[in-house]
């Protein structure tokens, strides 16, 4: 008897998930994120490196500036399909056609609200009028673009039967992508899953037409909702870098891309985005818009690959997979850092000291550990430069400069100027004082400090706050500066804002100085101390 024939069962291949980037449209239109045309172009190149499938470059009819930005991106950026948003009017569609004209592949994204609240309060249209408008606009657009996307604005608050009717109407009149926006971030994963399932099953459409999710983050659910939509059959997700967008923002590009990549075992679709370009693009966006990324932001926050707690650091030293589900390299971030702070253990301290070339004996290590904990309590994070300062016997706070006196003066008149005289003392350089002016007392004091120390500093951010303590109240200043193209941060307390800010600045100057020393020590073999 011959052996039974085995027929190979083909493993089902996951579908393609299209990444539609709206950083430069929904993201850019939100307060605090506006960009000039050259800035948008720079970001568009970075997004193209990330290999997003479609890049929504702007809303051509919104302003001549927006039209120009879309047109420049359409002329110069290659790779993604370039898209412009348009309201459901012939005029908007023509503006999009003009701006997109130089693009090798162009997509029109036309939207019209479908929910009862938008129909009644904003559009003053009946259901029938909404359907007629969709028909008229899509018929007008047909033949001018390579792809047409239709968005039913506020889809998640639209009557289910009417949403199916509106989407079927758009598909019948030439829409290739049916976008289902949760415009006000109102939905939750189970609900949005059911909505997409029902649309996939009931909307009449040609085979090539796909559904798209566009989720806002008003309840912090944009990424979770987008993933639920993918599970239900959506094959495009609209997202923005750093999650920027109207109000609480859009589904974050970095989170959706990494969730699909890391949990490819549970999602039915894969994106073709190149995640290794995420970090530089996110950093650049933050610098261009001046909107910092929260330290605890998933994937791109400065703590995303930082470990401070002793137990976590011990695990990371043994095997990084204990506390990291993705590597920093996979998103283009600099290597993981074991941040030394008040929660760190002696094990991590000894390991970092060894990297810097120090091998203290157990007694010395014990003493250094105590100094390190005191400095961490005072300043938060302790970096290599601070450790060198401790090992080399700089003051426990890490700063070599002491502020002896600060005097502030404001001139009278319509345009008052602020002056600061600052006197500092240094163990080797002695007492030095200088006077400088600036836009405000802190700026003037900082200018004087830079004149005294001879170090040029670019202040990236300065945050001050008051807090109550046993003695009454104190001020805390957190600062981030750039010295010779490198970032340093510091924290200091003081009896008033200006003193705390100057101390925080001096601390970062010492960090900058000690950094060079730490780097030269990194390459040397460890020596017993
Ligand atoms: O949130 C929204 O509804 C939109 C549409 C224009 C797609 O941004
Ligand atoms: Zn939106």
């Amino acid at each position: 008897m011959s052996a039974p024939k085995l027929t190979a069962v083909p493993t089902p291949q996951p579908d393609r998930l299209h990444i539609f980037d709206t950083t430069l449209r929904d993201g850019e239109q939100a307060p605090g994120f506006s960009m000039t045309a050259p800035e948008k172009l720079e970001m568009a190149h970075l997004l193209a490196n990330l290999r997003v499938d479609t890049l929504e470059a702007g809303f051509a009819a919104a302003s001549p500036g927006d039209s120009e930005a879309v047109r420049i991106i359409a002329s110069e950026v290659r790779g993604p399909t370039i898209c412009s948003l348009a309201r459901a009017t012939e005029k908007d569609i023509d503006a999009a056609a003009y701006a997109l004209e130089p693009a090798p592949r162009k997509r029109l994204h036309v939207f019209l609200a479908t929910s009862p609240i938008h129909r009644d309060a904003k559009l003053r249209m009946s259901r029938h009028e909404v359907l007629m408008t969709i028909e008229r606009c899509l018929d007008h657009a047909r033949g001018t673009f390579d792809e047409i996307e239709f968005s039913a604005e506020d889809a998640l608050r639209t009557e289910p039967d009417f949403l199916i009717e509106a989407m079927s109407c758009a598909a019948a009149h030439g829409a290739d992508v049916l976008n289902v926006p949760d415009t006000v971030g109102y939905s939750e994963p189970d609900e949005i899953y059911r909505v997409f399932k029902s649309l996939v099953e009931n909307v009449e459409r040609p085979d090539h037409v796909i559904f798209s999710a566009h989720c806002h983050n008003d309840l912090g659910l944009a990424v979770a909702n987008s993933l639920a939509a993918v599970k239900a059959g959506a094959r495009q997700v609209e997202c923005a870098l750093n999650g920027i967008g109207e109000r609480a923002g859009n589904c974050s590009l970095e989170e959706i891309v990494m969730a699909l990549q890391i949990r490819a075992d549970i999602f039915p679709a894969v994106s073709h985005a190149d995640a290794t370009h995420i970090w530089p693009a996110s950093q650049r966006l933050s610098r261009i818009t001046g909107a910092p990324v929260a330290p605890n932001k998933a994937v791109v926050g400065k703590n995303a690959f930082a470990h401070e707690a002793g137990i976590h650091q011990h695990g990371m030293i043994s095997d990084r997979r204990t506390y990291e589900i993705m590597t920093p390299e996979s998103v283009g971030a600099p290597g993981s850092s074991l941040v030394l702070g008040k929660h760190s253990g002696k094990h991590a301290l000894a390991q970092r000291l060894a990297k810097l070339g120090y091998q203290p004996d157990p007694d010395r290590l014990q003493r250094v550990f105590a100094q390190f904990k005191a400095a961490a309590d005072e300043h938060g994070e302790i970096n290599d430069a601070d450790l060198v300062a401790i090992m080399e016997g700089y003051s426990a706070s890490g700063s070599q400069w002491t502020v002896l006196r600060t005097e502030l003066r404001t001139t009278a008149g319509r345009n008052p100027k602020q002056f600061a005289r600052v006197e500092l003392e240094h163990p080797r350089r002695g007492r030095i004082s200088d006077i400088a002016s600036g836009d405000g007392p802190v700026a003037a004091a900082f200018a004087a400090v830079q004149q005294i120390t001879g170090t040029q500093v670019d202040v990236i951010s300065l945050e001050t706050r008051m807090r109550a303590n046993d003695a009454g109240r104190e001020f805390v200043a957190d600062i981030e500066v750039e010295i010779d193209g490198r970032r340093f941060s510091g924290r200091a307390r003081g009896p008033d804002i200006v003193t705390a800010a100057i101390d925080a600045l001096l601390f970062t100057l010492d960090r900058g100085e000690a950094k060079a020393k730490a780097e030269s020590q990194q390459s040397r073999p460890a020596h017993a101390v």
Side-chain angles (χ1 to χ4, degrees), residues 25-26 85 109 111 151 153 179 181 183 214 216:
R25 198 279 298 168
D26 208 319
L85 185 69
H109 178 188
F111 73 99
S151 278
E153 192 189 12
N179 188 37
T183 302
H214 176 110
H216 278 271

Side-chain angles (χ1 to χ4, degrees), residues 135-359:
E135 277 188 34
R136 203 186 62 241
C137 289
L138 294 188
D139 289 346
H140 178 76
R142 205 134 38 144
T144 307
F145 304 89
D146 298 292
E147 301 163 8
I148 295 179
E149 169 169 334
F150 171 73
S151 278
E153 192 189 12
D154 206 16
L156 267 290
R157 293 192 299 173
T158 299
E159 306 91 327
D161 65 320
F162 184 57
L163 186 58
I164 292 169
E165 205 179 342
M167 290 301 198
S168 302
C169 168
H173 288 265
D176 307 286
V177 179
L178 300 174
N179 188 37
V180 186
D182 183 12
T183 302
V184 288
Y186 178 68
S187 199
E188 57 79 45
D190 284 344
E191 179 189 63
I192 209 162
Y193 179 89
R194 285 195 302 272
V195 170
F196 271 83
K197 267 267 175 243
S198 153
L199 290 171
V200 169
E201 279 161 18
N202 297 308
V203 171
E204 281 177 38
R205 63 196 188 278
D207 286 348
H208 76 279
V209 173
I210 58 169
F211 286 97
S212 163
H214 176 110
C215 298
H216 278 271
N217 207 27
D218 299 66
L219 294 174
L221 292 170
V223 176
N225 286 344
S226 304
L227 289 169
V230 172
K231 281 189 172 174
R235 288 299 173 259
Q236 173 178 285
V237 167
E238 305 201 349
C239 49
L241 206 53
N242 295 350
I244 69 172
E246 286 287 1
R247 303 178 310 280
N250 279 95
C251 168
S252 125
L253 179 149
E254 59 277 11
E255 293 175 26
I256 192 96
V257 166
M258 290 317 286
L260 290 165
Q261 185 175 314
I262 300 297
R263 297 310 311 271
D265 57 326
I266 53 170
F267 292 108
V270 289
S271 90
H272 288 198
D274 180 351
T276 62
H277 290 275
I278 284 178
W279 186 275
S282 155
Q283 291 282 306
R284 194 70 199 112
L285 179 64
S286 161
R287 287 306 295 269
I288 286 177
T289 57
V293 178
N296 62 333
K297 167 79 184 62
V299 184
V300 292
K302 107 179 189 328
N303 289 356
F305 301 98
H307 309 269
E308 180 180 324
I311 297 170
H312 288 213
Q313 293 191 339
H314 201 165
M316 281 291 292
I317 290 165
S318 315
D319 183 336
R320 61 202 276 181
R321 288 170 304 175
T322 48
Y323 288 103
E324 277 184 358
I325 57 165
M326 61 190 127
T327 63
E329 297 78 26
S330 67
V331 298
S336 321
S337 60
L338 298 191
V339 173
L340 294 176
K342 65 179 179 182
H343 304 293
S344 304
K346 219 187 287 173
H347 194 74
L349 175 65
Q351 203 202 40
R352 182 68 67 84
L353 287 174
K355 272 201 187 150
L356 292 170
Y358 297 106
Q359 274 187 335

